Amino acid sequence: MKRWLGSANHKDIGTLYLLSGFWSALMGICLSFHIRVNLAQPAGLYVEVSQLYNVIITSHAFIMIFFFVMPVMMGGFGNWLIPIMVGCGDMSHPRLNNFSYWAIPGALFMVFMSALIEGGAGTGWTLYPPLSGWIYHSSPALDMVILSLHIAGFGSMMSSLNFMCTMITSRFYAMIPERMPVFCWSMFVTSWLLLFSLPVLAGGLTMLITDRHINTSFFRPQGGGDPLLFQHLFWFFGHPEVYVLILPGFGIISHAIIKSGGKLRVFGLAGMIYAMQSIGVLGFIVWAHHMFTVGMDVDSRAYFTGATMVIAVPTGIKVFSWLATLHGSYMIRFTATFWWILGFLCLFTMGGLTGVILSHGSLDVAMHDTYFVVGHFHYVLSMGAVFSIFVGFHNYFPLFFGVVPHKRFSKGHFYLAFLGVNMAFLPHHFLGLSGMPRRYVDYADCYFMWHKISSWGSLLGMTGTLMFCFILWETYYSRRGVVFGNYLPSMFEWMYTKEKVPMKRHRPGDVPFSHMFEIPKKKNF
């Protein structure tokens, strides 16, 4: 208990992040299954208790975004891989790293318990006033959600500072920034995105809670406030948050493609790094494309339409660079990792194309707050971010824990998940084009067919989740070993073997873990 509660070791903390994220994912998937069971037919389970349906949707969004994808991507893979890839012993601030983790379970508990207090918080994850004001949500549940977001956000900011300090001050002395691995660059961009965007969210939430309790009027029209101000503050955080969720996945995918294709480096390394930095910068200047329907003037709509479409350029650079990395590889092995990579490339590209459609101000007015938007961001997140997490799982699980998942079971899980998520979310686009609004507890009979198909896809995805739990159990029960090659002895091996294997020492000038990052073509290296 002392080791796991008070550990400042980056591997232990990374493992704790992975475990917390796994538990949150199970909770979030169960909530999403409740949503689909309700919508499997008109007049579903929650028609008489529609506030409970809103609470389920809100809790699902908060848990999956803030307590599954972010902790696993940044906390889990970031803590495990960054010190290894930059060649240092640990994070630059190990105790701060411990504090950053322990902000997560408390915040998660508060979000979970808020659903059980006086009807829960049913505002959706956007928390828009006046719905989140005192008149429509007078229970303490919403205050609990706001406080939990403050706590989780503060922990994320401290973690981001730690990552940036580690990559700047503690990297291997021969590793100049141009030689840093793609994953480290993706985490660096993600860290400063969080560092600049989270204080804006914290300010908006603080103004909201003072409106609720101290009778201020930041967002109340009765006192001269403006509800649209909260939308501007929220989306100035919310849009960079989308790239916070997906950018670490870009780094994971890049390394997995290098390994699967048998290449030494990703195609166009400099272009990949500049593309990620461009995505980070552009993410801050396009927030109002979430607000095309609020009465925006024509010039502003034209600007946000153009700026949003520009983001497709660096994203396209990354996708085509990954395809160019795979091109000409005659060592491709169709492992489970490679199948997840292919799934990511197909589905993330699909989500990006629907994003280009929604970036147009005139089209977005017709499809805003319909199921088309739900289908779009689930293709980007539920299939982009989550598929990249599974790529990282299959690529790095042997390094982390010293055991190998079953090959056929892992491929079977991919087929189930791929079919399930497409059946669940592809019909959402057709529902949105037909005019079905999002977050509705009931619907007209004309939408029944697509909802039924979507609910069957959700059931298939739930089956895939149960299969993944079985794969984890089977992996540890079988204790299937791994030949490490250049890998360090894993945490699993160090903990449970009697004879400790000493780490291979490298001479000054040697680059450890050369299979993990790109080897530059410089003679004096």
Side-chain angles (χ1 to χ4, degrees):
M1 291 297 292
K2 181 180 178 182
R3 171 187 173 179
W4 290 105
L5 292 178
S7 175
N9 180 280
H10 72 100
K11 296 180 182 179
D12 291 345
I13 294 173
T15 304
L16 288 171
Y17 269 113
L18 292 173
L19 292 173
S20 299
F22 176 65
W23 178 250
S24 302
L26 294 181
M27 281 200 295
I29 289 169
C30 290
L31 291 170
S32 71
F33 189 63
H34 270 278
I35 298 169
R36 289 313 326 165
V37 167
N38 174 70
L39 296 174
Q41 59 184 6
L45 299 176
Y46 300 111
V47 171
E48 301 298 325
V49 282
S50 53
Q51 170 65 9
L52 177 58
Y53 178 75
N54 292 335
V55 170
I56 290 173
I57 286 182
T58 306
S59 302
H60 165 70
F62 280 132
I63 287 172
M64 295 301 266
I65 291 172
F66 293 102
F67 301 104
F68 167 44
V69 177
M70 278 180 67
V72 170
M73 286 279 207
M74 289 199 69
F77 291 108
N79 269 294
W80 258 100
L81 295 175
I82 285 176
I84 294 177
M85 287 185 175
V86 301
C88 65
D90 205 321
M91 290 290 175
S92 59
H93 300 87
R95 294 183 187 276
L96 184 65
N97 200 17
N98 178 272
F99 169 79
S100 301
Y101 168 74
W102 286 108
I104 296 292
L108 174 61
F109 178 76
M110 293 177 71
V111 167
F112 188 66
M113 291 303 295
S114 71
L116 308 177
I117 296 175
E118 294 187 21
T123 60
W125 83 286
T126 51
L127 299 169
Y128 284 173
L131 181 59
S132 57
W134 182 257
I135 296 175
Y136 297 102
H137 269 86
S138 57
S139 74
L142 192 61
D143 302 321
M144 219 168 171
V145 168
I146 292 172
L147 185 58
S148 74
L149 291 180
H150 272 300
I151 295 171
F154 186 73
S156 296
M157 287 176 64
M158 296 302 102
S159 185
S160 300
L161 276 172
N162 208 351
F163 289 147
M164 293 174 73
C165 289
T166 303
M167 284 182 272
I168 291 171
T169 64
S170 303
R171 63 178 183 265
F172 182 64
Y173 72 93
M175 188 182 287
I176 58 176
E178 290 81 359
R179 293 170 180 163
M180 272 209 313
V182 181
F183 178 76
C184 293
W185 270 110
S186 70
M187 289 298 297
F188 192 86
V189 175
T190 304
S191 297
W192 65 255
L193 274 175
L194 273 176
L195 212 54
F196 289 130
S197 65
L198 274 169
V200 180
L201 175 70
L205 293 177
T206 305
M207 293 156 74
L208 178 60
I209 208 164
T210 58
D211 272 13
R212 288 172 56 82
H213 293 289
I214 315 180
N215 205 29
T216 56
S217 295
F218 292 110
F219 310 127
R220 292 193 303 128
Q222 301 91 330
D226 186 2
L228 290 183
L229 173 61
F230 183 84
Q231 291 196 30
H232 282 288
L233 293 173
F234 179 85
W235 287 115
F236 192 81
F237 153 80
H239 195 76
E241 170 70 11
V242 174
Y243 298 112
V244 166
L245 298 175
I246 199 67
L247 275 172
F250 288 169
I252 291 170
I253 291 290
S254 298
H255 288 283
I257 284 180
I258 295 168
K259 183 178 175 183
S260 297
K263 297 290 186 72
L264 289 178
R265 61 184 61 81
V266 70
F267 178 87
L269 174 61
M272 295 284 272
I273 294 171
Y274 285 123
M276 284 189 290
Q277 293 173 337
S278 304
I279 288 171
V281 172
L282 292 170
F284 276 106
I285 60 172
V286 296
W287 75 93
H289 68 217
H290 298 272
M291 302 168 54
F292 279 136
T293 57
V294 302
M296 191 182 298
D297 63 273
V298 176
D299 293 335
S300 297
R301 279 171 55 179
Y303 161 72
F304 284 109
T305 296
T308 306
M309 287 183 173
V310 167
I311 293 190
V313 176
T315 310
I317 288 172
K318 297 194 71 63
V319 172
F320 286 118
S321 295
W322 289 325
L323 295 176
T325 305
L326 289 175
H327 177 71
S329 299
Y330 34 87
M331 290 178 57
I332 292 179
R333 295 168 296 153
F334 284 84
T335 59
T337 305
F338 190 70
W339 282 114
W340 284 103
I341 291 171
L342 291 182
F344 169 87
L345 291 174
C346 294
L347 301 180
F348 177 75
T349 304
M350 168 79 176
L353 292 175
T354 55
V356 172
I357 293 170
L358 288 170
S359 70
H360 197 285
S362 301
L363 288 173
D364 185 76
V365 168
M367 289 184 283
H368 187 79
D369 271 345
T370 67
Y371 263 81
F372 192 92
V373 179
V374 179
H376 156 66
F377 70 72
H378 276 90
Y379 261 82
V380 173
L381 296 181
S382 180
M383 305 185 193
V386 175
F387 271 48
S388 61
I389 286 174
F390 280 113
V391 169
F393 167 81
H394 288 289
N395 198 33
Y396 291 115
F397 196 77
L399 166 66
F400 292 174
F401 303 112
V403 286
V404 183
H406 195 283
K407 294 179 181 178
R408 286 195 300 276
F409 292 165
S410 298
K411 291 180 183 178
H413 171 228
F414 166 76
Y415 300 141
L416 268 178
F418 187 82
L419 184 59
V421 293
N422 277 287
M423 275 184 67
F425 298 119
L426 189 61
H428 287 190
H429 297 88
F430 304 117
L431 286 167
L433 291 171
S434 303
M436 171 74 194
R438 64 195 283 198
R439 294 181 185 160
Y440 271 33
V441 69
D442 198 6
Y443 56 88
D445 293 347
C446 58
Y447 301 122
F448 171 65
M449 182 186 71
W450 292 122
H451 275 298
K452 192 71 173 177
I453 295 173
S454 182
S455 295
W456 277 110
S458 178
L459 180 62
L460 204 58
M462 180 65 79
T463 308
T465 304
L466 295 176
M467 185 173 182
F468 180 68
C469 296
F470 169 76
I471 289 171
L472 287 177
W473 172 82
E474 191 274 339
T475 300
Y476 275 102
Y477 181 78
S478 66
R479 296 185 66 165
R480 200 175 298 103
V482 58
V483 179
F484 279 97
N486 288 334
Y487 285 124
L488 282 178
S490 69
M491 184 188 76
F492 191 84
E493 185 175 347
W494 281 94
M495 284 169 59
Y496 296 111
T497 52
K498 293 181 180 178
E499 297 180 2
K500 304 299 182 185
V501 183
M503 291 191 294
K504 178 184 175 183
R505 296 194 174 274
H506 296 269
R507 299 188 307 275
D510 287 354
V511 184
F513 321 115
S514 59
H515 62 291
M516 286 189 177
F517 61 90
E518 297 69 29
I519 304 172
K521 297 179 179 178
K522 290 194 176 181
K523 296 180 181 178
N524 60 353
F525 190 65

